[in-house]
Amino acid sequence: MKALLSLLLLAALTLWAPAAEPEDRSEEHQIGTMVLAIQTALKAPQDPKSLETIAKHGTDSRYYVMIRGWLVQVKSGVESQLAATKDPGLKAKRQQRVTFLKKALRRIDLE
């Protein structure tokens, strides 16, 4: 689901962009790199660098709305999985992700 969402975001950005000039390609590349970095950060909530990566990109006013919306949707999905989980090990892992996502949202909202 996360991979599909990031792929859709990247496709939307490239499809809606006007014909790319050589200097525009570097911006498209930077956006793609940003999406991949955030996706990697979301997969490793225990890594302290993950929160910093999300904060770095999420506080950029050009991408704040997109990244915040992405985080809200991921959090909603994880909370749904958490509510349905009965296995204590999975429950703890999902709770850790929810806590991480709340911290990430709070971090980009406050800066």
Side-chain angles (χ1 to χ4, degrees):
M1 181 172 133
K2 292 175 269 174
L4 178 61
L5 181 58
S6 61
L7 185 60
L8 288 173
L9 288 171
L10 189 56
L13 288 172
T14 54
L15 288 175
W16 291 332
E21 297 292 323
E23 61 273 1
D24 290 341
R25 288 190 191 126
S26 66
E27 183 178 356
E28 291 168 354
H29 179 72
Q30 289 173 350
I31 292 169
T33 302
M34 174 186 67
V35 168
L36 292 174
I38 293 170
Q39 184 178 18
T40 301
L42 290 173
K43 289 180 183 178
Q46 69 282 1
D47 186 355
K49 293 179 184 177
S50 294
L51 189 58
E52 293 305 316
T53 298
I54 292 173
K56 173 185 163 189
H57 297 297
T59 54
D60 186 333
S61 62
R62 297 173 295 176
Y63 310 114
Y64 167 77
V65 173
M66 176 183 76
I67 293 170
R68 188 177 196 294
W70 182 4
L71 294 175
V72 167
Q73 291 302 310
V74 171
K75 183 173 93 50
S76 176
V78 175
E79 286 174 335
S80 177
Q81 292 172 345
L82 176 63
T85 300
K86 294 184 179 165
D87 178 18
L90 283 175
K91 205 167 193 75
K93 186 176 179 180
R94 291 196 172 116
Q95 184 59 55
Q96 179 187 24
R97 287 195 70 206
V98 168
T99 302
F100 169 76
L101 290 163
K102 286 180 180 179
K103 283 181 185 178
L105 284 163
R106 201 171 322 128
R107 180 83 180 265
I108 67 172
D109 286 345
L110 292 176
E111 288 194 29

